[in-house]
Amino acid sequence: MSTRMIKGHRSARLAKIENQNNRQVTFSKCRNCVFKKANELSVMTDAEVGIIVCPQGSKPYSFGHADVHETINKYVGEERPSSPSSATIDDKYVQKFRKVNSRELKTRLNSLQDQLDFELNLKSKLKKMNKNVESQQEWFKGPIKNMNYTEASMLKEGLENLLLKVKNYGTERCYGYENGKWK
């Protein structure tokens, strides 16, 4: 965490702001200041300025003097005019930018592909588990004669629990149940 003195301001600690609302407010203020300075630079020096700011999880913001799309396309896009004095230097930086950008995109693609593979594998396992559970729950739909002792015991216990719930339900609503009959 570095601390630096800003002219006319108190010293600011440079660190990530943890509170989301404070981070958003600070981002908006700083973004406006950067765009204002870029505009001043463009007006005072007649420079072409193009800035793109991409906050985490939000839409990108851009500033360009005169137009951000024209400025970016002029130096990065296919419409770039050749400049004999700085062609090799500019091309070198553009190529580095493209390599870094493509590496980041490949890394992100691989990460997303791994996540997709994991999710598909999990989906397959869950489908198998669901089929097993469904097949285990279907045993009581067949004839009682075909049940084994364990299945018959489970059915008996389930029916006894159901009967108890029905009796409690009736008792709570002032119905009487004696000798197998409701009163």
Side-chain angles (χ1 to χ4, degrees):
M1 323 261 166
S2 63
T3 307
R4 65 180 180 152
M5 191 63 162
I6 302 171
K7 184 177 179 183
H9 294 91
R10 59 186 169 89
S11 62
R13 209 172 107 206
L14 294 179
K16 181 178 178 182
I17 300 170
E18 296 301 325
N19 183 306
Q20 180 67 30
N21 291 334
N22 292 348
R23 188 181 320 140
Q24 181 61 38
V25 169
T26 302
F27 171 80
S28 295
K29 287 180 181 179
C30 289
R31 181 194 70 220
N32 291 337
C33 289
V34 167
F35 287 173
K36 183 178 176 184
K37 290 293 182 185
N39 186 43
E40 290 173 5
L41 177 67
S42 175
V43 169
M44 291 189 317
T45 64
D46 198 30
E48 293 183 46
V49 178
I51 298 175
I52 299 174
V53 181
C54 302
Q56 192 75 22
S58 183
K59 66 178 186 170
Y61 297 90
S62 61
F63 170 83
H65 195 274
D67 179 34
V68 72
H69 298 294
E70 290 176 14
T71 304
I72 291 173
N73 282 337
K74 186 174 182 181
Y75 292 99
V76 179
E78 295 175 14
E79 301 171 13
R80 182 174 176 211
S82 60
S83 166
S85 63
S86 64
T88 58
I89 295 173
D90 287 346
D91 285 339
K92 188 168 107 178
Y93 288 118
V94 168
Q95 292 302 324
K96 280 186 179 181
F97 172 77
R98 287 182 179 162
K99 280 184 180 179
V100 168
N101 199 21
S102 68
R103 252 186 259 131
E104 288 174 2
L105 289 173
K106 284 179 184 177
T107 303
R108 189 166 181 212
L109 176 65
N110 289 338
S111 173
L112 289 173
Q113 187 64 44
D114 291 344
Q115 186 178 355
L116 177 64
D117 292 343
F118 175 78
E119 297 294 334
L120 290 174
N121 188 18
L122 184 62
K123 178 183 175 185
S124 171
K125 288 179 181 178
L126 287 174
K127 276 187 175 180
K128 287 179 184 176
M129 289 173 59
N130 193 25
K131 285 182 182 178
N132 289 340
V133 169
E134 285 176 358
S135 67
Q136 289 174 358
Q137 292 176 348
E138 304 258 335
W139 59 264
F140 63 87
K141 291 185 179 178
I144 294 177
K145 294 181 223 174
N146 295 344
M147 289 184 191
N148 62 31
Y149 178 76
T150 307
E151 292 170 345
S153 298
M154 289 173 59
L155 179 61
K156 179 183 174 211
E157 186 179 324
L159 290 173
E160 287 172 349
N161 287 338
L162 179 62
L163 180 61
L164 184 64
K165 286 180 184 178
V166 169
K167 286 179 184 178
N168 289 337
Y169 179 82
T171 304
E172 289 172 0
R173 285 159 182 72
C174 300
Y175 300 122
Y177 186 81
E178 288 179 10
N179 299 329
K181 294 186 180 180
W182 292 101
K183 291 183 180 182

